[in-house]
Amino acid sequence: MPVLALASALFVVGFEQLVQLRFGAAGIVGLLLFSVGIKAKSPAVSSAGAVLLAVLLAGPVL
């Protein structure tokens, strides 16, 4: 069980670093809002994070 927890923690940290490298601080804020909203079961907060991440992803296309 500790190996699974360690592997998931490494994955989360790696994913956060990837988002920060690609999208900067705004990406981290969007990811934070999204994850906090899901854990708190708050649709408004998770939607705000999802919209921020979607705008960052679609920004170069627009």
Side-chain angles (χ1 to χ4, degrees), residues 15-16 18-35 49-50 52-54 56-57:
F15 185 71
E16 286 179 353
L18 179 68
V19 168
Q20 185 176 13
L21 284 174
R22 181 148 169 95
F23 302 113
I28 292 295
V29 170
L31 190 62
L32 180 68
L33 284 173
F34 186 69
S35 62
L52 181 58
L53 288 173
L56 288 172
L57 284 171

